[in-house]
Amino acid sequence: MPRLITLLTDFGTADGYVGEMKGMLASAAPLSSIVDIAHDVAPQDVEGARLALARYWRRFPEGTVHVVVIDPGVGSARGALAASSEGRFLVGPDNGVLSPALLHAGARCVALAIPSGAAPTFHGRDVFAPAAAQLAQGASLESLGDVADSPVIRRTPEATRRDDGAVLGEVITVDRFGNAVTNLLAMRGGQVQVAGLTLALRRTYADAMAGEAVALVGSSGLVEVAVRDGSAAKLLGLERGSGVVLLPRA
């Protein structure tokens, strides 16, 4: 039975690169449905794409083939991978972008060969799309290549606890609204110190006044710093790696 194929890239939609990949997929797996996740990941932002993939890959039904092409090392010696995890398939460069799936117990991974005729600047079209089409048509993972024992793995930095009970964390990504997503968990509430401010954790964005900074637990379960009707990244100067402290509830 034909499978869903999803696409996450940093290609944008102005130059036809996504169209070329879709054309390859439509030709090789004509009964499969293609779902655009996003094509406006910041160019070469492997870490941002990794975090995006973590949000959605298990939301799709088993059998789905996820293609991720954020590939600053295209044409170099970096590997190309196809993987199986939790009943889904993933295809992309071996640069850590597939880590959310590779970290699960039972994940399997094979190295894809680079065809001699593949354009060294466009493996999305010439390597990853053909592999995804084969998986969508029912090919086994093992038929696509040899086992890859040591794929590149990226992990979200872990927060650390101070002697006084406060937890030191950092911003791990900034979304398109300018919300700064951190690596902090706050199941028991507390206050967040960031950019010289101390913010009580609120339930949602609307609990703050327009233009006011607010801390809350976002849909990913992680603490976010936002500005009501504005951008926390711009107003507070936050970016990936900016420090954040969680003060436990007194």
Side-chain angles (χ1 to χ4, degrees), residues 15 68 108 110 138 157 164-165 173 175 187 196 222 226 240:
D15 301 309
V68 183
R108 296 176 292 131
V110 301
D164 63 359
T173 192
D175 70 16
M187 292 180 288
L222 299 171
R240 187 177 294 155

Side-chain angles (χ1 to χ4, degrees), residues 113-120:
I114 308 301
S116 59

Side-chain angles (χ1 to χ4, degrees), residues 94-111:
D94 186 12
N95 58 12
V97 73
L98 302 183
S99 296
L102 301 183
L103 286 167
H104 279 257
R108 296 176 292 131
C109 196
V110 301

Side-chain angles (χ1 to χ4, degrees), residues 106-146:
R108 296 176 292 131
C109 196
V110 301
L112 300 174
I114 308 301
S116 59
T121 59
F122 201 178
H123 286 182
R125 180 193 65 194
D126 297 340
V127 179
F128 303 128
Q134 291 181 63
L135 291 168
Q137 292 289 89
S140 68
L141 181 71
E142 290 72 20
S143 70
L144 270 62
D146 296 327

Side-chain angles (χ1 to χ4, degrees), residues 20-115:
E20 285 192 83
M21 284 189 63
K22 286 185 173 182
M24 173 65 72
L25 290 167
S27 296
L31 298 182
S32 293
S33 298
I34 301 172
V35 177
D36 293 291
I37 300 297
H39 300 295
D40 51 3
V41 173
Q44 293 90 49
D45 188 2
V46 174
E47 187 65 7
R50 176 186 74 86
L51 293 169
L53 177 68
R55 294 188 67 93
Y56 70 81
W57 73 278
R58 284 185 296 169
R59 302 287 183 183
F60 282 80
E62 291 190 9
T64 297
V65 183
H66 297 298
V67 184
V68 183
V69 191
I70 288 79
D71 194 12
V74 63
S76 70
R78 71 96 182 90
L81 299 177
S84 174
S85 181
E86 300 287 301
R88 288 89 175 165
F89 298 96
L90 301 99
V91 181
D94 186 12
N95 58 12
V97 73
L98 302 183
S99 296
L102 301 183
L103 286 167
H104 279 257
R108 296 176 292 131
C109 196
V110 301
L112 300 174
I114 308 301

